Amino acid sequence: MDNQTALRIDPKIEASWKRLLEEEFNSDYFRALKSFLHAEKQKEREGRLNVFPKGGDLFNAFNYTPVEQVKVVIIGQDPYHSFEMIGNTMIPHAHGLCFSIPGEAQKIPPSLKNIYKEIHDDIGCAIPNHGNLTAWAKQGVLLLNATLTVRAHEAGSHQKKGWETFTDAAIKKLAGQRTGLVFLLWGRFAQQKADLIDETKHLILKAAHPSPFSVHNGFFGCRHFSKANDYLTANGQQPIDWQIQ
């Protein structure tokens, strides 16, 4: 494969998002991002590093939740940079959905454990024994990280390469096209995204990040899950079933 073919912009992303973000995919910054990722993948092929998520998981947040099906948006910062070895198989924790891990992974991250606890305390859902949130995404919860890729064991390694510009555009264009969405902004980083959202058209709920370092500063007791459902119901939409089976 020559460089021109490798760097051709033809993302494998759900059709409604591909249309909405067409201008971004054709931008100079996205071409530079593609070039950076191509170089990272070459290093991965040479055995010098690992990049997560793998394969076709990169755009899972978009692929599971088309534009017109979005009801709730949860914004994370970076994909998980950790992985597990199950037998001889590497299981990256990142699989394209913020706060979520694949079903076969066995180590539920601390922030997700705290999210489950708040849901239990808020609306009584049983705490599941796995960390796969795909069921939320399929119901209309856009689980979007600001940065969509990362090197293994190097938190923030793909920040400021273009992903934040891309995901900011996704949030702004989604908020501009739709009405009646709920944005759950946890922690200072996510709360900075409020400037991209028209509060007269959507509900913005803010709380501390669910990390163990900040969860007691206002995440526990925020009741965002019942508040989101109350808002959706009041606006004629089906609420989210937050129970993970």
Side-chain angles (χ1 to χ4, degrees), residues 80 82 84 93 99-117 127-133 212 244:
Y80 295 122
S82 55
E84 297 176 36
H93 280 179
F99 293 106
S100 179
I101 60 174
E104 61 267 34
Q106 298 174 358
K107 299 177 182 177
I108 299 177
S111 291
L112 183 53
K113 288 182 179 180
N114 288 334
I115 291 169
Y116 284 164
K117 184 179 186 304
I127 295 176
N129 60 5
H130 67 86
N132 192 327
L133 305 181
I244 296 292

Side-chain angles (χ1 to χ4, degrees), residues 32 50 66-67 74 88 114 136 140 170 173 176 183 190 214 220 223 236 240:
N50 281 294
V67 171
I74 300 177
N88 294 320
N114 288 334
W136 290 358
K173 291 181 178 185
F183 290 84
S214 56
F220 283 155
R223 302 195 64 207
I240 303 297

Side-chain angles (χ1 to χ4, degrees), residues 147-230:
T147 302
L148 298 189
T149 54
V150 69
R151 288 182 178 182
H153 299 313
E154 293 187 42
S157 51
H158 285 188
Q159 291 178 4
K160 299 180 181 178
K161 303 296 184 182
W163 277 132
E164 296 92 339
T165 303
F166 175 76
T167 53
D168 278 359
I171 294 165
K172 186 173 183 178
K173 291 181 178 185
L174 173 68
Q177 179 164 310
R178 296 285 312 281
T179 59
L181 303 181
V182 182
F183 290 84
L184 305 185
L185 307 183
W186 300 333
R188 185 179 304 172
F189 177 85
Q191 288 165 17
Q192 293 172 348
K193 307 300 181 181
D195 293 341
L196 305 170
I197 305 157
D198 185 347
E199 268 192 281
T200 68
K201 296 171 59 178
H202 306 285
L203 176 65
I204 298 177
L205 297 174
K206 299 178 181 180
H209 194 276
S211 160
F213 300 106
S214 56
V215 69
H216 292 286
N217 295 332
F219 182 80
F220 283 155
C222 70
R223 302 195 64 207
H224 278 185
F225 304 95
S226 60
K227 289 176 181 178
N229 277 352
D230 288 346

Side-chain angles (χ1 to χ4, degrees), residues 61-80:
F62 303 102
N63 293 337
Y64 281 120
T65 317
V67 171
E68 292 304 319
Q69 294 180 22
V70 177
K71 298 178 181 179
V72 177
V73 181
I74 300 177
I75 298 173
Q77 186 167 1
D78 224 27
Y80 295 122

Side-chain angles (χ1 to χ4, degrees), residues 5 7-8 16 18 48 60 66 75 80 89 125 133 147 150 157:
T5 300
L7 298 178
R8 183 167 53 90
S16 65
K18 192 171 188 177
R48 297 160 60 188
N60 270 351
I75 298 173
Y80 295 122
T89 302
C125 290
L133 305 181
T147 302
V150 69
S157 51

